[in-house]
Amino acid sequence: MIVMMTIAAWLAGVSHVPLPLVEEAKAQMAAGGVAPGADDPLTRPIASSHAAEWLAPARPEKIFGTSYLVGFAGMSVALIDTGDGLVLVDGALPQAAPTILENVRSLGFDPKDIKFILSTEPHFDHAGGLAALARDTGATVVASARGAEGLRSGMHAKDDPQLAYGGSWPAVTRLRVIGDGEVLKLGKTAIAAIATPGHTMGSMSWRWQACEGKVCKTIVFASSLNPVSADGYRFTSKAGAPIVAGFEASYRKMDATACDILISAHPDNAGPGRYNDKPGACRAYADRSRGLLAARLAKERAGPAK
């Protein structure tokens, strides 16, 4: 969710929207949104010292075939035209939702044709905008079982390494749970769910094929794999053991998956540019996290026990 070297600064600059927002969200969903200029609890900004960097403007961009980027310079949001409806991947911060929808429109698509929104993780920077996007498009948000728990509550899970940061984001009320390896089919597109736990135990990556004529490429939208935590958390503790095991399972999946084009939740985690189409991109993504996790475990083991 956040780069390790800047976590302290990020924490100092974050303020969160209050919960619960569920009843207000339901009322607005029934009404079809909010009036222009009115205070919208589902797009109320979450302030962060990284917000300007994450949400730096970026023009909508075709990746390959009928797959596009409709997010930002520092935060990825993907759009897939299946031929029988649209699929959005991730929702960024709450205040990003109107821009995402405008980017969809600028490509010539109607946001009301978005049928599903795929979630990578229950953290505010990727899930904060989901409630507003679902309300404004009528789409169903799709997540892992653990991810759905976090999206419904709008809060970190009890075992999340970043739990101690606290805070909240708008809760999601229209959800569909999908399992590891399950395939979501819409139109001409089949999207495989790949459980990639570690950063959160509910993290999910997504894989699909995009074609231009007879040439097809496999695109992977990968969840964050950064081994970051709130102060005082220890990955070497008993509580951290399942998290470490989750990371290791995710590395094996990233090593093995077909992957012609990699989109990472934060683009800079995958290398320069908005996506990585170099051979071995998914393996390199896993190797980056392997190195960060190994360094973190070594530092903990070398330090005094807590």
Side-chain angles (χ1 to χ4, degrees), residues 8-284:
W10 169 84
L11 177 59
V14 172
S15 63
H16 298 277
V17 296
L19 272 183
L21 292 171
V22 175
E23 293 308 316
E24 194 163 4
K26 286 180 179 177
Q28 290 191 6
M29 190 174 294
V34 294
D39 177 50
D40 181 357
L42 300 192
T43 61
R44 197 173 292 151
I46 291 179
S48 165
S49 60
H50 285 283
E53 173 190 352
W54 287 340
L55 301 183
R59 293 180 64 87
E61 178 180 347
K62 178 179 176 179
I63 305 169
F64 190 79
T66 54
S67 296
Y68 307 85
L69 289 171
V70 292
F72 308 88
M75 190 163 288
S76 299
V77 181
L79 179 73
I80 308 165
D81 177 13
T82 74
D84 191 24
L86 306 172
V87 177
L88 202 64
V89 188
D90 260 358
L93 293 149
Q95 62 264 39
T99 300
I100 292 170
L101 296 181
E102 185 54 39
N103 286 344
V104 171
R105 292 186 191 97
S106 74
L107 291 170
F109 297 112
D110 184 349
K112 292 292 185 182
D113 289 332
I114 298 173
K115 307 301 183 185
F116 297 107
I117 307 173
L118 312 182
S119 173
T120 60
E121 67 185 55
H123 277 166
F124 83 89
D125 52 341
H126 305 289
L130 295 179
L133 290 168
R135 178 197 65 197
D136 294 342
T137 65
T140 297
V141 176
V142 184
S144 70
R146 287 295 308 276
E149 290 176 7
L151 298 182
R152 288 189 188 99
S153 69
M155 294 183 288
H156 295 88
K158 300 286 189 197
D159 59 356
D160 194 317
Q162 298 180 45
L163 173 64
Y165 287 140
S168 60
W169 57 89
V172 178
T173 57
R174 185 185 286 119
L175 278 161
R176 172 174 168 178
V177 171
I178 195 168
D180 182 26
E182 190 174 342
V183 176
L184 177 71
K185 295 182 179 180
L186 184 66
K188 301 176 182 178
T189 306
I191 306 169
I194 308 171
T196 41
H199 186 72
T200 80
M201 291 304 282
S203 293
M204 190 73 86
S205 298
W206 306 92
R207 183 186 65 227
W208 67 95
Q209 275 202 333
C211 300
E212 292 185 359
K214 295 182 179 180
V215 178
C216 294
K217 295 186 178 183
T218 299
I219 300 177
V220 175
F221 192 117
S223 67
S224 292
L225 283 179
N226 270 344
V228 295
S229 72
D231 291 342
Y233 184 89
R234 292 178 64 84
F235 287 98
T236 51
S237 67
K238 183 178 179 180
I243 305 295
V244 172
F247 274 118
E248 292 171 346
S250 296
Y251 301 154
R252 291 191 294 271
K253 289 181 181 179
M254 281 290 152
D255 286 342
T257 190
C259 179
D260 297 311
I261 299 173
L262 169 68
I263 306 165
S264 61
H266 287 286
D268 58 350
N269 291 345
R274 298 181 74 185
Y275 58 87
N276 188 343
D277 58 1
K278 296 179 181 178
C282 282
R283 290 192 298 275

